[in-house]
Amino acid sequence: MKDYEVIVIGSGCGALISDEAAGAGLKTALIDKGPLIGGTCLNWGCIPSKQLIYPADRIVEIEEAGRFGIAASVEAVDFGAIMERMRLSRREGQQHLRQGMKSVKNLTFYEGEARFVADHTLEVGGEKLKGEKIFIATGSRPFVPPVKGLEGVDYLTNESALELKELPESLIIIGGGYIAVEYGHFFAAMGTEVTILEMAGRLVLSEEPEIAELLEKKLGERMTVRTGAGAEEVKGGKDGVTVVTVDSQSGKRKSYTAQRIMMAVGRRSNADLLDVAKTGVKLDERGFIKVNARLETNVPDIFAVGDANGRQMFTHMANREAAIAAHNAINGASLEVDYSAVPHAVYSHPQIAAVGMREEEAKKDHHVIVGRTNYYDVAKGEAMLETEGFAKVILDKKTQKILGFHIIGPYAPGLIQEVVNAMTSGGGVEELNQGIHIHPALTELIPVTVNSAGE
Ligand SMILES: Cc1cc2nc3c(=O)[nH]c(=O)nc-3n(C[C@H](O)[C@H](O)[C@H](O)COP(=O)(O)OP(=O)(O)OC[C@H]3O[C@@H](n4cnc5c(N)ncnc54)[C@H](O)[C@@H]3O)c2cc1C
């Protein structure tokens, strides 16, 4: 049995904690099952997907240049080179991480799958490790629903899609969340004939309905999008893969065939791999690890951060939670995470970004006023001929605080930051109006939207 003052399981946001603990002079162990270390964002999530989507954005920009009177077309797309650039960056990231880890004093890295075997005790690669303080940062993995026939076909996930060497001629994506609409955009730009099949009545369920509606319309111009289409059965054949769907309204069945299919229906907890019951840690009804506001589980000195607790499954939140949990556990602080202004972005085409509550959610506890402005109504949006994108604000009528802000259109992920900062530092209309906005710039969209709010 080896004893550690701190054990961290998972080297995504967990690496921030192990760095902090080792830097504070504590005897620390970091465990990751590999084979790639550094977590989802670096290897299968944010970074590789955005390296692929950036060139896809450039392709669509060229294809849409005609509206400015520019005759341009894409001559050829080297799919292999685009994929290889992403994989090279990942290989370099691995080298860098492994090298860096060796030079951290007080840190031992174990590469292997960890499991709890007793109270505060883990087993990894046949060795037993006991930790005074343990951080579970084991993330999540693709959720694959039990669709009849699925196990018999070679389906892609957000992980295996990154290994593709050749562009699929046609692809069915099952799911309509952010991973589905980002990869739908990517593959369509590369030249694949894409079909998105979503069981729910609309795409991107965590967005405002009108944002989902515009996204569906715009994606529908470049690919087939079917909502209310639940995948019932999957069959492999000589023409590729056929997906049979059931219409949620009429109950009618329909078949779609493509060379490949990709499952993108959501994420599931990795807690099952850990056998947390052996140390008494409780899970919620979705299988994620239950934590309190300080990110501590029901077992003292065991914390769970990032996707592992299933609260806000984004890298920026995982990293924030890791910093807070480390501070609480290592420096004896008692900080709580503030989830009131957590932004997120969807890098589809058009892009989406949002922070705070949706209108329906906000109405439950607040008397709200809502504002909406089209990109075209600010000078820069007009210059860009952006006729469809828009921003929407939800304000508390009494306090004039921003409860939620939602944008669909170019540069939405960058634009939302001003709102996040305003919400974090007071959250009022006043704060936003105080700042002078460059004219003309898309940032004018923010104060104009806020000032448009009315009953
Ligand atoms: C396709 C895709 C795109 C995304 N894009 C974005 C984006 O643009 N922006 C954004 O903010 N978020 C994005 N996300 C979400 C983001 O990647 C995650 O929220 C984030 O990586 C979670 O970090 P984490 O540290 O909690 O977990 P992870 O980064 O998943 O790290 C968990 C680590 O634990 C290890 N592990 C698991 N179980 C064990 C075990 N039993 N023993 C040992 N090791 C174990 C795993 O190997 C892994 O390295 C995306 C996700 C996906 C899938």
Side-chain angles (χ1 to χ4, degrees):
M1 173 88 78
K2 289 198 174 132
D3 289 307
Y4 286 93
E5 287 170 293
V6 171
I7 297 179
V8 183
I9 321 158
S11 66
C13 71
L16 300 176
I17 304 175
S18 59
D19 270 2
E20 177 89 16
L26 301 173
K27 190 180 171 198
T28 305
L30 174 64
I31 312 171
D32 200 293
K33 64 181 170 59
L36 299 180
I37 60 169
T40 302
C41 177
L42 196 64
N43 297 305
W44 300 284
C46 340
I47 308 290
S49 63
K50 274 71 213 183
Q51 287 178 348
L52 299 181
I53 288 168
Y54 188 80
D57 291 342
R58 305 290 71 77
I59 290 170
V60 177
E61 212 171 334
I62 295 166
E63 287 170 352
E64 293 179 347
R67 69 183 198 274
F68 299 103
I70 302 167
S73 60
V74 177
E75 274 181 27
V77 177
D78 189 343
F79 176 74
I82 290 172
M83 297 298 284
E84 193 44 37
R85 172 236 172 179
M86 171 271 299
R87 289 190 287 258
L88 174 66
S89 154
R90 198 165 64 169
R91 283 197 296 276
E92 287 172 350
Q94 287 298 301
Q95 270 176 3
H96 194 73
L97 270 178
R98 284 174 192 274
Q99 206 66 39
M101 216 148 346
K102 281 187 198 147
S103 63
V104 181
K105 260 173 66 184
N106 307 317
L107 180 72
T108 310
F109 177 57
Y110 292 85
E111 192 158 352
E113 190 167 307
R115 250 174 355 99
F116 282 96
V117 287
D119 181 38
H120 281 242
T121 308
L122 290 146
E123 190 176 273
V124 53
E127 284 194 81
K128 287 211 172 84
L129 318 181
K130 185 155 188 165
E132 282 171 34
K133 295 190 195 297
I134 298 181
F135 295 85
I136 302 172
T138 45
S140 59
R141 63 183 186 272
F143 169 65
V144 180
V147 178
K148 188 175 166 201
L150 191 59
E151 63 294 337
V153 301
D154 181 19
Y155 60 86
L156 296 168
T157 65
N158 70 282
E159 296 182 1
S160 53
L162 301 185
E163 307 309 325
L164 285 173
K165 304 269 183 327
E166 278 171 29
L167 182 69
E169 273 170 34
S170 52
L171 173 72
I172 293 171
I173 302 179
I174 298 183
Y178 77 91
I179 296 176
V181 300
E182 287 189 350
Y183 274 102
H185 162 46
F186 167 68
F187 280 108
M190 295 295 113
T192 300
E193 195 187 307
V194 174
T195 302
I196 292 183
L197 302 175
E198 163 60 54
M199 183 167 75
R202 65 178 173 91
L203 299 176
V204 288
L205 283 175
S206 49
E207 308 300 334
E208 287 286 29
E210 59 268 50
I211 286 199
E213 195 184 320
L214 178 56
L215 178 70
E216 186 170 336
K217 173 176 174 246
K218 296 303 291 176
L219 287 180
E221 291 167 7
R222 298 168 50 220
M223 63 194 79
T224 303
V225 180
R226 293 285 173 268
T227 54
E232 184 188 55
E233 190 177 354
V234 172
K235 295 182 244 182
K238 62 176 175 27
D239 298 332
V241 188
T242 298
V243 180
V244 181
T245 61
V246 186
D247 187 285
S248 57
Q249 303 277 313
S250 64
K252 276 197 186 142
R253 285 179 171 70
K254 247 187 129 176
S255 292
Y256 300 86
T257 301
Q259 190 188 353
R260 302 295 306 261
I261 64 165
M262 179 172 177
M263 298 305 292
V265 296
R267 309 279 300 165
R268 62 169 291 188
S269 166
N270 275 334
D272 56 330
L273 309 175
L274 267 179
D275 220 352
V276 287
K278 294 264 166 57
T279 191
V281 165
K282 293 213 170 85
L283 304 179
D284 66 19
E285 57 293 341
R286 298 177 305 148
F288 289 93
I289 294 167
K290 264 190 180 169
V291 287
N292 62 21
R294 296 175 60 250
L295 300 166
E296 201 168 15
T297 65
N298 59 303
V299 176
D301 290 327
I302 301 187
F303 295 78
V305 296
D307 283 12
N309 67 33
R311 284 185 164 182
Q312 290 280 348
M313 292 166 68
F314 307 110
T315 297
H316 38 275
M317 261 342 268
N319 291 348
R320 175 60 65 93
E321 288 182 351
I324 287 180
H327 204 46
N328 285 344
I330 296 165
N331 304 324
S334 196
L335 301 177
E336 296 190 357
V337 188
D338 177 2
Y339 294 100
S340 61
V342 180
H344 68 265
V346 181
Y347 286 87
S348 191
H349 185 81
Q351 295 182 338
I352 296 171
V355 58
M357 290 183 251
R358 294 185 299 271
E359 185 178 345
E360 280 314 303
E361 231 177 323
K363 272 181 176 163
K364 287 183 194 150
D365 296 315
H366 301 264
H367 185 177
V368 304
I369 51 173
V370 175
R372 178 174 157 154
T373 301
N374 296 327
Y375 273 61
Y376 201 77
D377 295 334
V378 298
K380 187 63 193 263
E382 186 183 349
M384 293 166 73
L385 286 180
E386 179 48 52
T387 52
E388 293 183 282
F390 65 88
K392 170 178 176 177
V393 69
I394 299 124
L395 295 178
D396 182 292
K397 188 177 180 208
K398 203 162 111 213
T399 62
Q400 292 286 294
K401 297 246 188 245
I402 300 163
L403 300 172
F405 204 101
H406 307 262
I407 310 176
I408 179 163
Y411 307 105
L415 292 173
I416 203 81
Q417 193 61 45
E418 179 184 1
V419 185
V420 179
N421 295 352
M423 286 174 79
T424 316
S425 56
V429 171
E430 205 40 44
E431 283 79 10
L432 270 176
N433 282 332
Q434 288 277 325
I436 297 166
H437 289 76
I438 289 172
H439 177 76
L442 278 184
T443 46
E444 288 179 303
L445 189 62
I446 309 297
V448 174
T449 305
V450 164
N451 294 318
S452 74
E455 305 253 7

